[in-house]
Amino acid sequence: MTLRYDGRVAIVTGSGGNPSLGRAHARLLASRGAKLVINDINKDPDDVYYKDTAAAQAVADEIVADGGEAVADTHSVATWEGASAVVATAVEAFGRVDILVNNAGICPINDLDKLSELDITRTIGVNLMGTIWMTRAVWPHMVGAGYGRIVNIPSGALTGFPKLAIYGASKGGVFSFTRAMALEGAEHGIKVNSVSPAAYTRMIIAMQEPGSKLLETLKEGQPAELVSPAVALLAHEDCPINGENLNAMGGRVSHTFLSETKGIMDPDLTIESLQAALDDVLDRTDAVVWVPGSVGAASDLSASDLVDKAST
Protein backbone atom coordinates (compact mmCIF):
# COMPACT_ATOMS: atom_id res chain seq x y z
CA MET A 1 0.00 0.00 0.00
CA THR A 2 1.29 3.43 -0.93
CA LEU A 3 2.04 5.54 2.14
CA ARG A 4 0.49 8.98 1.87
CA TYR A 5 0.25 12.15 3.94
CA ASP A 6 -3.06 13.60 2.75
CA GLY A 7 -4.35 16.19 5.20
CA ARG A 8 -1.04 16.38 7.03
CA VAL A 9 0.92 19.62 7.41
CA ALA A 10 4.71 19.37 7.49
CA ILE A 11 7.44 21.87 8.32
CA VAL A 12 10.86 21.11 6.86
CA THR A 13 13.56 23.46 8.08
CA GLY A 14 16.58 24.28 5.96
CA SER A 15 14.75 23.16 2.83
CA GLY A 16 15.50 26.01 0.43
CA GLY A 17 18.81 24.75 -0.94
CA ASN A 18 19.37 22.98 -4.23
CA PRO A 19 20.68 20.33 -4.07
CA SER A 20 19.77 19.77 -0.44
CA LEU A 21 18.35 17.15 1.87
CA GLY A 22 15.59 19.47 3.08
CA ARG A 23 14.38 20.15 -0.44
CA ALA A 24 14.35 16.41 -1.23
CA HIS A 25 12.40 15.60 1.96
CA ALA A 26 9.88 18.37 1.33
CA ARG A 27 9.28 17.39 -2.30
CA LEU A 28 8.76 13.73 -1.39
CA LEU A 29 6.26 14.56 1.36
CA ALA A 30 4.44 16.99 -0.94
CA SER A 31 4.28 14.41 -3.73
CA ARG A 32 2.44 12.10 -1.32
CA GLY A 33 -0.17 14.70 -0.34
CA ALA A 34 1.35 16.68 2.56
CA LYS A 35 1.06 20.47 2.76
CA LEU A 36 4.50 21.99 3.25
CA VAL A 37 6.12 24.91 5.00
CA ILE A 38 9.48 25.41 3.30
CA ASN A 39 11.71 27.10 5.86
CA ASP A 40 15.10 28.60 5.04
CA ILE A 41 16.77 31.89 5.91
CA ASN A 42 18.16 31.84 2.33
CA LYS A 43 21.45 33.66 3.02
CA ASP A 44 23.10 33.90 6.42
CA PRO A 45 24.93 37.25 6.67
CA ASP A 46 27.55 35.63 8.91
CA ASP A 47 28.22 32.70 6.58
CA VAL A 48 31.53 32.52 4.73
CA TYR A 49 31.22 28.96 3.45
CA TYR A 50 28.34 28.91 0.97
CA LYS A 51 28.98 30.64 -2.31
CA ASP A 52 25.33 30.61 -3.35
CA THR A 53 21.99 31.46 -1.76
CA ALA A 54 19.17 29.13 -0.82
CA ALA A 55 15.64 30.07 -1.82
CA ALA A 56 12.68 28.88 0.23
CA GLN A 57 10.23 30.50 -2.18
CA ALA A 58 11.81 28.73 -5.15
CA VAL A 59 11.30 25.31 -3.56
CA ALA A 60 7.74 26.20 -2.53
CA ASP A 61 7.09 27.27 -6.12
CA GLU A 62 8.44 23.94 -7.40
CA ILE A 63 5.98 22.06 -5.21
CA VAL A 64 3.06 24.24 -6.28
CA ALA A 65 4.04 23.82 -9.94
CA ASP A 66 3.89 20.05 -9.42
CA GLY A 67 0.35 20.35 -8.08
CA GLY A 68 1.15 20.42 -4.37
CA GLU A 69 0.57 22.96 -1.61
CA ALA A 70 3.45 24.85 -0.03
CA VAL A 71 4.37 28.20 1.49
CA ALA A 72 7.78 29.69 2.14
CA ASP A 73 9.11 30.90 5.49
CA THR A 74 12.43 32.67 6.08
CA HIS A 75 12.63 32.90 9.88
CA SER A 76 15.71 31.60 11.70
CA VAL A 77 15.27 28.47 13.79
CA ALA A 78 18.21 29.49 16.01
CA THR A 79 16.04 31.59 18.33
CA TRP A 80 12.83 30.93 20.22
CA GLU A 81 11.19 33.89 18.48
CA GLY A 82 12.18 32.64 15.04
CA ALA A 83 11.06 29.07 15.71
CA SER A 84 7.73 30.30 17.05
CA ALA A 85 7.27 32.35 13.88
CA VAL A 86 7.92 29.31 11.68
CA VAL A 87 5.19 27.38 13.47
CA ALA A 88 2.88 30.40 13.25
CA THR A 89 3.40 30.38 9.48
CA ALA A 90 2.19 26.77 9.33
CA VAL A 91 -0.84 27.42 11.52
CA GLU A 92 -1.79 30.56 9.61
CA ALA A 93 -1.45 28.90 6.21
CA PHE A 94 -2.86 25.46 6.95
CA GLY A 95 -4.42 25.55 10.43
CA ARG A 96 -2.23 22.89 12.04
CA VAL A 97 1.15 21.16 12.10
CA ASP A 98 1.52 17.39 12.12
CA ILE A 99 5.10 16.78 10.99
CA LEU A 100 8.35 18.54 11.80
CA VAL A 101 11.62 17.69 10.08
CA ASN A 102 14.44 19.50 11.89
CA ASN A 103 16.79 19.54 8.93
CA ALA A 104 18.43 23.00 9.16
CA GLY A 105 22.14 22.81 9.87
CA ILE A 106 25.54 24.37 9.29
CA CYS A 107 29.02 22.82 9.35
CA PRO A 108 32.13 25.01 9.74
CA ILE A 109 35.27 22.84 9.45
CA ASN A 110 38.47 23.63 11.33
CA ASP A 111 40.56 22.75 14.35
CA LEU A 112 38.86 23.75 17.59
CA ASP A 113 41.36 26.51 18.37
CA LYS A 114 40.99 27.92 14.86
CA LEU A 115 37.20 28.09 14.75
CA SER A 116 35.90 31.55 15.47
CA GLU A 117 33.71 32.08 18.51
CA LEU A 118 30.92 33.03 16.11
CA ASP A 119 31.28 29.76 14.19
CA ILE A 120 31.02 27.80 17.44
CA THR A 121 27.94 29.63 18.73
CA ARG A 122 26.27 29.56 15.29
CA THR A 123 26.80 25.81 14.92
CA ILE A 124 25.33 25.03 18.33
CA GLY A 125 22.64 27.67 17.78
CA VAL A 126 21.37 26.26 14.49
CA ASN A 127 22.04 22.53 14.75
CA LEU A 128 21.18 21.84 18.38
CA MET A 129 19.24 24.83 19.67
CA GLY A 130 17.33 25.13 16.38
CA THR A 131 16.14 21.55 16.86
CA ILE A 132 15.21 22.26 20.46
CA TRP A 133 13.42 25.56 19.74
CA MET A 134 11.43 24.13 16.83
CA THR A 135 10.40 21.06 18.82
CA ARG A 136 9.36 23.26 21.73
CA ALA A 137 7.35 25.49 19.38
CA VAL A 138 5.38 22.63 17.76
CA TRP A 139 4.96 20.65 20.98
CA PRO A 140 1.77 22.32 22.32
CA HIS A 141 0.09 21.93 18.91
CA MET A 142 0.97 18.23 18.72
CA VAL A 143 0.02 17.56 22.33
CA GLY A 144 -3.29 19.33 21.76
CA ALA A 145 -3.97 17.22 18.69
CA GLY A 146 -2.84 14.00 20.35
CA TYR A 147 -0.61 13.34 17.37
CA GLY A 148 2.73 14.32 15.91
CA ARG A 149 5.78 13.09 14.07
CA ILE A 150 9.19 14.73 14.54
CA VAL A 151 12.28 13.68 12.59
CA ASN A 152 15.59 15.12 13.74
CA ILE A 153 18.85 15.07 11.82
CA PRO A 154 22.01 14.11 13.70
CA SER A 155 25.14 12.92 11.88
CA GLY A 156 27.74 10.19 11.88
CA ALA A 157 30.06 12.96 13.08
CA LEU A 158 28.65 12.41 16.58
CA THR A 159 31.11 9.50 16.83
CA GLY A 160 34.00 11.97 16.59
CA PHE A 161 35.64 13.44 13.50
CA PRO A 162 38.75 15.64 13.32
CA LYS A 163 37.97 19.29 12.54
CA LEU A 164 34.28 18.60 13.25
CA ALA A 165 34.34 18.70 17.05
CA ILE A 166 31.65 21.36 17.43
CA TYR A 167 29.51 20.05 14.59
CA GLY A 168 29.75 16.53 16.05
CA ALA A 169 28.95 17.80 19.53
CA SER A 170 25.84 19.58 18.25
CA LYS A 171 24.69 16.47 16.41
CA GLY A 172 25.39 14.26 19.42
CA GLY A 173 23.10 16.56 21.36
CA VAL A 174 20.40 16.09 18.72
CA PHE A 175 20.75 12.30 19.06
CA SER A 176 20.25 12.45 22.84
CA PHE A 177 17.46 15.04 22.59
CA THR A 178 15.60 12.76 20.18
CA ARG A 179 15.60 9.86 22.63
CA ALA A 180 14.39 12.02 25.50
CA MET A 181 11.58 13.65 23.53
CA ALA A 182 10.44 10.26 22.25
CA LEU A 183 9.75 9.31 25.86
CA GLU A 184 8.00 12.61 26.61
CA GLY A 185 5.86 12.38 23.50
CA ALA A 186 4.77 8.76 23.72
CA GLU A 187 1.76 9.40 25.95
CA HIS A 188 0.57 12.14 23.59
CA GLY A 189 0.70 10.17 20.35
CA ILE A 190 3.93 11.92 19.30
CA LYS A 191 6.82 9.90 17.90
CA VAL A 192 10.31 11.39 17.68
CA ASN A 193 13.04 9.67 15.67
CA SER A 194 16.12 10.71 13.75
CA VAL A 195 18.03 10.07 10.54
CA SER A 196 21.78 10.48 10.10
CA PRO A 197 22.25 11.20 6.39
CA ALA A 198 25.00 11.35 3.80
CA ALA A 199 24.34 12.82 0.36
CA TYR A 200 25.48 15.23 -2.32
CA THR A 201 24.25 18.59 -1.04
CA ARG A 202 25.13 22.28 -0.85
CA MET A 203 26.74 21.63 2.54
CA ILE A 204 29.04 18.94 1.15
CA ILE A 205 29.87 21.07 -1.86
CA ALA A 206 30.80 23.98 0.42
CA MET A 207 32.90 21.71 2.66
CA GLN A 208 34.99 20.14 -0.10
CA GLU A 209 37.51 21.39 -2.63
CA PRO A 210 36.29 21.14 -6.24
CA GLY A 211 37.20 17.77 -7.70
CA SER A 212 37.65 16.04 -4.33
CA LYS A 213 37.20 12.27 -4.28
CA LEU A 214 34.44 12.45 -1.66
CA LEU A 215 32.53 15.05 -3.64
CA GLU A 216 32.68 12.99 -6.83
CA THR A 217 31.63 9.81 -5.00
CA LEU A 218 28.61 11.50 -3.44
CA LYS A 219 27.62 13.18 -6.69
CA GLU A 220 27.69 9.90 -8.59
CA GLY A 221 25.87 7.63 -6.17
CA GLN A 222 24.37 9.42 -3.20
CA PRO A 223 21.68 11.92 -4.19
CA ALA A 224 19.68 13.55 -1.42
CA GLU A 225 16.54 11.83 -2.74
CA LEU A 226 17.84 8.45 -1.51
CA VAL A 227 17.83 9.70 2.09
CA SER A 228 14.27 11.03 1.97
CA PRO A 229 12.38 7.68 2.13
CA ALA A 230 13.86 7.05 5.59
CA VAL A 231 12.80 10.52 6.77
CA ALA A 232 9.35 10.14 5.22
CA LEU A 233 8.71 6.75 6.82
CA LEU A 234 9.53 8.15 10.26
CA ALA A 235 7.20 11.07 9.51
CA HIS A 236 4.27 8.80 8.62
CA GLU A 237 1.39 7.95 10.94
CA ASP A 238 2.30 4.26 10.60
CA CYS A 239 5.88 4.81 11.78
CA PRO A 240 6.62 1.67 13.84
CA ILE A 241 9.51 2.95 16.00
CA ASN A 242 10.14 5.70 18.53
CA GLY A 243 13.39 7.19 19.85
CA GLU A 244 15.56 5.47 17.26
CA ASN A 245 18.15 6.63 14.73
CA LEU A 246 18.44 5.37 11.17
CA ASN A 247 21.43 6.02 8.92
CA ALA A 248 20.60 6.63 5.26
CA MET A 249 22.93 7.12 2.34
CA GLY A 250 22.83 6.08 -1.30
CA GLY A 251 19.99 3.60 -0.76
CA ARG A 252 21.63 1.93 2.24
CA VAL A 253 19.76 2.17 5.55
CA SER A 254 21.10 0.98 8.91
CA HIS A 255 20.48 1.52 12.61
CA THR A 256 22.67 3.33 15.14
CA PHE A 257 22.24 2.32 18.77
CA LEU A 258 24.02 2.67 22.11
CA SER A 259 25.35 -0.35 23.95
CA GLU A 260 27.24 -1.19 27.13
CA THR A 261 29.76 -3.92 27.90
CA LYS A 262 29.15 -6.44 30.66
CA GLY A 263 32.07 -4.90 32.53
CA ILE A 264 33.23 -5.89 36.00
CA MET A 265 31.92 -5.62 39.56
CA ASP A 266 34.46 -5.08 42.34
CA PRO A 267 33.29 -3.65 45.71
CA ASP A 268 36.97 -3.14 46.60
CA LEU A 269 37.86 -1.36 43.36
CA THR A 270 41.21 0.41 43.28
CA ILE A 271 43.15 2.15 40.56
CA GLU A 272 45.41 -0.88 40.26
CA SER A 273 42.61 -3.47 40.17
CA LEU A 274 40.85 -1.45 37.47
CA GLN A 275 44.06 -1.30 35.47
CA ALA A 276 44.40 -5.08 35.71
CA ALA A 277 40.76 -5.65 34.67
CA LEU A 278 40.52 -3.03 31.95
CA ASP A 279 40.45 -5.60 29.14
CA ASP A 280 37.35 -7.14 30.77
CA VAL A 281 35.74 -3.71 31.07
CA LEU A 282 36.31 -3.09 27.36
CA ASP A 283 35.29 -6.59 26.19
CA ARG A 284 32.26 -6.19 23.89
CA THR A 285 31.19 -9.82 24.13
CA ASP A 286 27.57 -9.98 25.31
CA ALA A 287 27.22 -6.19 25.20
CA VAL A 288 23.67 -4.99 25.92
CA VAL A 289 21.75 -2.37 23.95
CA TRP A 290 20.62 0.76 25.78
CA VAL A 291 16.99 1.57 25.12
CA PRO A 292 15.63 5.11 25.52
CA GLY A 293 14.96 5.70 29.20
CA SER A 294 17.56 3.24 30.50
CA VAL A 295 20.16 4.35 33.02
CA GLY A 296 22.87 1.89 32.08
CA ALA A 297 22.10 -1.53 30.68
CA ALA A 298 23.28 -3.27 33.84
CA SER A 299 21.26 -1.07 36.17
CA ASP A 300 17.86 -1.82 37.65
CA LEU A 301 17.04 1.89 37.50
CA SER A 302 15.13 3.64 34.76
CA ALA A 303 14.99 7.31 33.88
CA SER A 304 11.63 7.61 35.61
CA ASP A 305 13.28 6.55 38.89
CA LEU A 306 15.55 9.58 38.71
CA VAL A 307 13.14 12.24 37.54
CA ASP A 308 10.86 14.29 39.75
CA LYS A 309 7.52 13.73 38.05
CA ALA A 310 5.66 16.41 39.98
CA SER A 311 4.13 18.92 37.59
CA THR A 312 4.89 22.61 38.05
Side-chain angles (χ1 to χ4, degrees):
M1 183 178 67
T2 300
L3 298 182
R4 294 191 57 83
Y5 306 81
D6 299 295
R8 298 299 187 191
V9 175
I11 298 171
V12 182
T13 67
S15 52
N18 186 7
S20 77
L21 287 161
R23 173 178 174 269
H25 305 336
R27 287 178 59 84
L28 177 57
L29 291 171
S31 73
R32 298 294 185 95
K35 302 174 183 179
L36 266 296
V37 174
I38 306 299
N39 163 260
D40 207 302
I41 63 172
N42 296 338
K43 181 63 178 177
D44 184 345
D46 295 316
D47 177 69
V48 296
Y49 297 92
Y50 290 114
K51 296 180 176 61
D52 61 351
T53 300
Q57 189 62 57
V59 175
D61 290 344
E62 289 176 1
I63 291 172
V64 172
D66 289 339
E69 295 185 59
V71 296
D73 178 278
T74 58
H75 293 97
S76 171
V77 301
T79 68
W80 168 242
E81 294 76 15
S84 298
V86 178
V87 175
T89 295
V91 174
E92 181 178 349
F94 302 120
R96 58 188 293 158
V97 54
D98 305 288
I99 298 166
L100 169 63
V101 180
N102 279 312
N103 173 78
I106 60 174
C107 184
I109 303 176
N110 216 328
D111 296 327
L112 178 61
D113 61 345
K114 295 177 182 176
L115 282 170
S116 71
E117 290 83 356
L118 181 59
D119 278 341
I120 292 172
T121 55
R122 287 174 64 243
T123 301
I124 299 297
V126 175
N127 297 357
L128 177 56
M129 293 309 302
T131 298
I132 293 172
W133 291 137
M134 284 299 304
T135 301
R136 187 171 185 252
V138 301
W139 204 254
H141 298 274
M142 291 183 173
V143 170
Y147 178 87
R149 295 290 181 267
I150 298 176
V151 185
N152 296 326
I153 309 296
S155 165
L158 65 83
T159 62
F161 273 61
K163 299 186 184 295
L164 290 178
I166 302 303
Y167 178 77
S170 70
K171 293 300 189 176
V174 170
F175 181 90
S176 179
F177 180 70
T178 298
R179 291 166 68 87
M181 294 313 299
L183 296 173
E184 291 194 26
E187 64 180 295
H188 303 293
I190 304 170
K191 290 187 175 182
V192 187
N193 290 287
S194 61
V195 173
S196 295
Y200 182 72
T201 65
R202 290 174 69 244
M203 179 182 287
I204 292 293
I205 294 169
M207 289 167 56
Q208 298 293 314
E209 293 295 327
S212 75
K213 183 177 180 180
L214 175 61
L215 200 60
E216 292 303 315
T217 298
L218 293 175
K219 185 176 182 179
E220 290 175 7
Q222 297 194 16
E225 287 74 14
L226 284 179
V227 173
S228 298
V231 172
L233 176 61
L234 299 183
H236 196 269
E237 62 185 78
D238 292 335
C239 170
I241 57 178
N242 192 30
E244 303 295 348
N245 180 80
L246 301 181
N247 310 296
M249 57 195 76
R252 179 179 182 270
V253 181
S254 60
H255 178 218
T256 293
F257 56 91
L258 300 174
S259 62
E260 180 183 3
T261 66
K262 183 178 180 180
I264 63 167
M265 179 60 189
D266 183 357
D268 300 314
L269 190 70
T270 65
I271 302 172
E272 292 75 20
S273 65
L274 176 58
Q275 180 187 39
L278 195 57
D279 285 346
D280 293 329
V281 172
L282 300 177
D283 185 359
R284 298 180 184 180
T285 304
D286 300 324
V288 178
V289 175
W290 281 22
V291 298
S294 65
V295 185
S299 172
D300 292 330
L301 294 174
S302 68
S304 61
D305 295 317
L306 304 180
V307 176
D308 179 7
K309 301 172 71 173
S311 59
T312 57

